[in-house]
Amino acid sequence: MLQNMLEMIKTPVTTMLEKSRQEDLKKGAIKGAILSVVLSLISVISTIITIIKSVEKDTLFGELTNQEVWEKRWDRIQDAKLFSAFFKQILIYAAVIAIIAVILYIIAKLLKNEKKYSETLSMTNNTLVLLTIGMIVNTLVSLIYAPIGIVLTLMISIYAILSLIYAFKESLDMVDLDKLVLISTGVIIATVIIGIILLMIVYDISFKDLSSATNIFDLLSVTSTTSDYSDLLDF
């Protein structure tokens, strides 16, 4: 397991290409499920750490005892409903993995490339392996200094995304790059639109509500700009 992680870090594109040829659909599904559980667990642990760090002994109303501090921490942990959140996040991560793999699969098919869904699923899973490493590093480093953890997570995320892009591109035989960019853009935009429509249906949001929210945002922007001009004139 550790050896595989080291290979993913050192040679991500090569490793993704090799794994995509070796892993079948069953293995990819199992790997995706395991990654979903691990990522959800890391997320829950990070939330617990954040809650613990947010409650301190020194407050505006005086110093709390150790018992009072841990009572407050435990109350906040219970309020966070982490148990149900854990299972919800597993489903979310699993859905994200499946959707990204489907997007890559559709792009390949539109480019008339004979690529199997198991291959794009494998690439997606191995990208998530890198992101999992990033989340673990962030959780550990944040215990010492949170900003460094955030920077490292951002760096690893960029590394993982670029690795997926180049691995997918290399897996396509004699592809027209202009066509690849055009089709990829169209598929991603279509996916985003479908996602927004599904969210609107689930949360019962109408286009009128979206329009109202946009108008409020525009009004706030105008108000802020006017205020800035007034401040400059006063100065």
Side-chain angles (χ1 to χ4, degrees):
M1 185 68 178
L2 183 60
Q3 183 65 29
N4 288 336
M5 285 188 173
L6 289 174
E7 286 179 3
M8 277 301 304
I9 294 170
K10 290 190 296 182
T11 56
V13 175
T14 303
T15 304
M16 282 186 195
L17 290 171
E18 289 176 356
K19 296 285 186 185
S20 68
R21 290 189 287 266
Q22 296 169 1
E23 296 175 350
D24 58 15
L25 187 58
K26 182 180 178 181
K27 190 171 183 179
I30 293 170
K31 192 172 184 177
I34 293 171
L35 281 168
S36 299
V37 172
V38 172
L39 286 166
S40 184
L41 183 61
I42 293 170
S43 180
V44 168
I45 292 171
S46 298
T47 303
I48 292 171
I49 291 172
T50 302
I51 290 171
I52 290 173
K53 289 174 70 176
S54 67
V55 180
E56 298 179 349
K57 293 183 72 172
D58 295 325
T59 68
L60 294 172
F61 305 101
E63 188 173 321
L64 300 174
T65 63
N66 286 332
Q67 184 179 348
E68 289 173 331
V69 169
W70 280 104
E71 282 177 356
K72 281 184 173 290
R73 286 170 175 170
W74 181 245
D75 287 341
R76 291 191 183 183
I77 289 171
Q78 287 182 315
D79 291 339
K81 297 179 180 178
L82 297 176
F83 186 76
S84 60
F86 172 71
F87 290 101
K88 285 179 183 177
Q89 287 180 101
I90 289 175
L91 295 176
I92 291 169
Y93 282 122
V96 168
I97 291 171
I99 290 168
I100 293 173
V102 167
I103 289 171
L104 296 177
Y105 178 74
I106 292 171
I107 292 170
K109 286 300 176 185
L110 290 174
L111 289 167
K112 303 187 185 308
N113 186 275
E114 295 300 320
K115 186 173 292 300
K116 298 177 182 177
Y117 179 70
S118 59
E119 294 178 66
T120 58
L121 180 60
S122 174
M123 288 183 184
T124 307
N125 283 336
N126 287 297
T127 303
L128 264 291
V129 170
L130 285 174
L131 293 175
T132 302
I133 294 169
M135 288 182 70
I136 293 171
V137 170
N138 177 43
T139 302
L140 295 175
V141 175
S142 293
L143 293 172
I144 303 168
Y145 189 58
I148 295 178
I150 294 170
V151 171
L152 286 173
T153 302
L154 181 61
M155 290 169 60
I156 294 172
S157 298
I158 293 171
Y159 187 64
I161 293 168
L162 288 176
S163 298
L164 176 61
I165 291 170
Y166 280 103
F168 180 67
K169 183 256 177 185
E170 287 296 318
S171 71
L172 300 171
D173 300 324
M174 301 295 292
V175 64
D176 183 337
L177 294 180
D178 293 324
K179 195 174 180 181
L180 173 61
V181 171
L182 183 63
I183 290 175
S184 299
T185 303
V187 172
I188 291 170
I189 289 173
T191 305
V192 170
I193 291 171
I194 292 169
I196 291 171
I197 291 171
L198 288 174
L199 287 173
M200 288 173 66
I201 293 170
V202 171
Y203 292 100
D204 194 24
I205 301 171
S206 65
F207 285 103
K208 186 178 179 181
D209 294 330
L210 283 178
S211 179
S212 300
T214 305
N215 291 336
I216 292 170
F217 179 77
D218 291 340
L219 181 61
L220 289 172
S221 298
V222 171
T223 304
S224 176
T225 305
T226 305
S227 177
D228 290 341
Y229 280 128
S230 298
D231 292 339
L232 285 171
L233 290 170
D234 291 339
F235 178 75

